[in-house]
């Protein structure tokens, strides 16, 4: 069974950086679109960043563009999200997700999430 496990979250001060990792077991990720989503209290889960199977295209939500970088290594079955210049508004549970379609299509396999808290 496919399993996605996120790690790297934590409590950091505004302006700090974090790198989230998602390790996928059970199936290789090389044929899948991968993405990071996040959910904060009172808000729907939304796309943070996505990346195609060959890293040929990436997609970022406006609020993180120029601050976050998504990357992947198919040989390691690993997805990363480098988060820079973190803001309190970035506080959320971050989820790794896998999809069979394009960046704007459905993602149907999810990790358990990792908490990111940005606070002084």
């Amino acid at each position: 069974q496919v399993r996605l496990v996120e790690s790297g979250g934590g409590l950091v001060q505004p302006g700090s950086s974090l790198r989230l990792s998602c390790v996928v077991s059970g199936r290789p990720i090389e044929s899948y679109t991968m993405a990071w989503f996040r959910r904060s209290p009172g808000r729907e889960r939304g796309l943070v960043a996505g990346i195609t199977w060959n890293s040929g295209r990436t997609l970022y939500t406006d609020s993180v563009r120029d601050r976050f970088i998504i990357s992947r290594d198919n040989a390691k079955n690993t997805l990363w999200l480098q988060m820079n210049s973190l803001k309190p508004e970035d506080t959320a549970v971050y989820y790794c997700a896998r999809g069979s379609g394009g960046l704007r299509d459905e993602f149907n396999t999810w990790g358990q999430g990792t908490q990111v808290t940005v606070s002084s």
Side-chain angles (χ1 to χ4, degrees):
Q1 189 170 14
V2 176
R3 187 181 182 194
L4 287 66
V5 179
E6 303 95 333
S7 63
L11 173 63
V12 297
Q13 295 185 4
S16 297
S17 296
L18 281 174
R19 189 174 76 156
L20 306 183
S21 298
C22 171
V23 178
V24 181
S25 61
R27 294 284 177 86
I29 68 169
E30 63 187 34
S31 298
Y32 296 95
T33 301
M34 301 295 296
W36 290 95
F37 288 75
R38 67 185 180 186
R39 191 184 193 280
S40 57
R43 300 185 67 182
E44 294 286 333
R45 184 167 59 193
L47 178 71
V48 178
I51 186 167
T52 55
W53 69 272
N54 61 351
S55 299
R57 182 177 292 274
T58 56
L59 178 67
Y60 297 93
T61 192
D62 287 344
S63 62
V64 309
R65 190 172 295 112
D66 300 325
R67 296 191 296 122
F68 291 10
I69 301 171
I70 188 171
S71 61
R72 65 191 292 167
D73 187 333
N74 290 342
K76 297 180 179 179
N77 289 320
T78 302
L79 177 76
W80 294 278
L81 183 67
Q82 177 67 45
M83 304 185 295
N84 301 314
S85 301
L86 283 163
K87 304 175 180 179
E89 306 93 274
D90 296 318
T91 296
V93 178
Y94 284 71
Y95 299 89
C96 178
R98 186 192 74 172
S100 298
L103 289 168
R104 293 176 172 84
D105 293 326
E106 181 179 294
F107 291 84
N108 48 33
T109 306
W110 301 83
Q112 82 289 348
T114 185
Q115 176 71 47
V116 173
T117 302
V118 185
S119 176
S120 299

